[in-house]
Amino acid sequence: MPIQDEVVQIYHKIQKKVNHPYLNRYLPKPAVDIDKVLTLFLLFKQHGSYKNIEQYVMSVMIAQMGLDTHEKITKNEKLKGLELKQRQLTVLSGDFYSSLYYYILAEQKDIQMVKWISQAIQELNINKMHFFYAENDANIDYYFDHLRQIESHLIIKLAERLGINDWTDIIADFFFLKRLHLERDYLDHTREDTHTSYIYHIIQDTDIDKRKFIEQIENKMNQIRNKWSMDILPKKQILSKHLGYLIDHFTKESPSFTRTTLLKGRINYAD
């Protein structure tokens, strides 16, 4: 089966796995980031020793969804009625996803993977604490550095545990770029879901110039694009077919996120 078909199949199985009729009555369906599904799938493929890749991808993605869901919890203390119920259910749904990923891994009897993901979640939460409770003199680069780590931390830590360290830089930059696009949109438009914005949290109720912050975000986005459009790979470098597929996907999803070496066809994929 082609990689794309396998990934789409896993994507739909995740949606089905987290589907809950009662939650669906009150909450929007949880988003599944298919870019992360693909990345996880290719990492396990590259490692080559995991038989039930589908189950592992599902478990990590559902763990990520649990974390993402808890970030949607509002701090408004004046909620009543339906809004209060929605907040309570948001908390419970996040807990549901978090327990579900444990259950999937328990079926695989893979205690080591449970430990890896648990440690990664702990480190991710520490990064979030550093981000949201930074010292008053923290500069924009401090926030960007932590935001980059937060956005793909589970995947990066898994890649490191699997010994696929040469993938981590491009993965981290791609998902960081995706997050920066979202953050710019949050700040550039009036959005009802600003509570899911990291940057919004640190500039609300401050005298920070929002337009200036948007400019800084765009500058960082350009830095990432320039980094990956430079001809920095050796002309005869050979990429694994899985990394090559991933880079091709990233390039299609974000056309400005590419290497000129790939566009010039000077890199071969290993069989």
Side-chain angles (χ1 to χ4, degrees):
M1 183 185 297
I3 289 175
Q4 182 178 358
D5 292 346
E6 288 189 80
V7 170
V8 170
Q9 186 177 76
I10 296 172
Y11 173 82
H12 288 305
K13 286 188 176 182
I14 294 171
Q15 289 184 315
K16 184 177 181 180
K17 197 76 173 179
V18 300
N19 183 61
H20 193 289
Y22 185 75
L23 293 177
N24 293 343
R25 288 171 56 187
Y26 298 99
L27 301 176
K29 290 184 178 181
V32 181
D33 189 335
I34 197 166
D35 293 330
K36 289 185 177 179
V37 175
L38 171 65
T39 304
L40 289 166
F41 177 81
L42 292 175
L43 282 170
F44 283 111
K45 276 283 190 182
Q46 180 69 17
H47 190 269
S49 65
Y50 288 85
K51 295 181 180 179
N52 299 322
I53 291 178
E54 178 181 280
Q55 297 300 312
Y56 284 100
V57 174
M58 288 176 61
S59 65
V60 179
M61 278 304 303
I62 292 173
Q64 181 69 64
M65 291 168 66
L67 293 167
D68 294 342
T69 299
H70 281 151
E71 289 180 3
K72 296 178 181 179
I73 301 169
T74 61
K75 298 179 181 179
N76 190 344
E77 298 179 356
K78 299 180 181 180
L79 294 180
K80 295 181 180 180
L82 179 59
E83 289 182 334
L84 178 59
K85 185 170 188 174
Q86 287 174 326
R87 181 167 67 183
Q88 292 169 336
L89 288 175
T90 299
V91 175
L92 292 175
S93 63
D95 293 342
F96 167 60
Y97 303 144
S98 296
S99 60
L100 186 57
Y101 98 81
Y102 275 113
Y103 175 75
I104 295 172
L105 287 180
E107 289 184 316
Q108 304 304 311
K109 297 180 173 59
D110 193 335
I111 303 303
Q112 186 63 56
M113 184 63 71
V114 172
K115 290 181 179 178
W116 287 358
I117 297 177
S118 298
Q119 289 171 357
I121 290 174
Q122 180 182 17
E123 293 168 3
L124 175 57
N125 286 329
I126 291 173
N127 267 316
K128 289 180 180 179
M129 293 293 288
H130 285 311
F131 184 93
F132 290 115
Y133 299 98
E135 298 294 335
N136 293 331
D137 59 349
N139 59 30
I140 186 64
D141 288 331
Y142 172 93
Y143 289 112
F144 282 154
D145 287 344
H146 282 285
L147 188 56
R148 183 179 185 271
Q149 294 180 57
I150 289 169
E151 196 58 26
S152 57
H153 190 83
L154 291 189
I155 295 178
I156 296 302
K157 287 301 174 181
L158 177 63
E160 292 174 353
R161 291 288 190 174
L162 295 177
I164 311 177
N165 297 296
D166 56 334
W167 290 34
T168 58
D169 196 31
I170 191 168
I171 291 172
D173 274 346
F174 176 76
F175 288 107
F176 183 34
L177 185 61
K178 279 187 67 173
R179 166 54 64 175
L180 291 175
H181 273 288
L182 287 174
E183 295 294 341
R184 184 188 61 187
D185 289 345
Y186 285 133
L187 297 179
D188 212 15
H189 304 91
T190 301
R191 297 282 296 269
E192 294 181 357
D193 52 351
T194 48
H195 60 274
T196 62
S197 164
Y198 286 95
I199 302 297
Y200 178 80
H201 277 292
I202 64 173
I203 68 170
Q204 64 177 332
D205 303 323
T206 70
D207 56 358
I208 293 177
D209 186 338
K210 189 171 70 171
R211 292 305 312 172
K212 186 174 181 180
F213 218 110
I214 292 173
E215 289 177 7
Q216 292 174 310
I217 290 175
E218 291 177 343
N219 287 338
K220 177 57 69 173
M221 290 166 63
N222 287 331
Q223 288 177 21
I224 298 172
R225 295 188 187 107
N226 290 336
K227 172 182 176 181
W228 292 103
S229 64
M230 292 172 60
D231 192 353
I232 60 176
L233 287 180
K235 290 181 171 42
K236 294 184 179 180
Q237 173 147 352
I238 296 178
L239 301 178
S240 71
K241 62 181 179 181
H242 297 129
L243 178 55
Y245 190 100
L246 186 65
I247 293 175
D248 277 350
H249 175 78
F250 286 170
T251 300
K252 291 172 185 175
E253 290 301 307
S254 181
S256 57
F257 186 82
T258 183
R259 296 179 188 262
T260 56
T261 45
L262 284 175
L263 292 177
K264 294 175 183 176
R266 293 206 299 265
I267 294 180
N268 299 317
Y269 298 165
D271 294 330

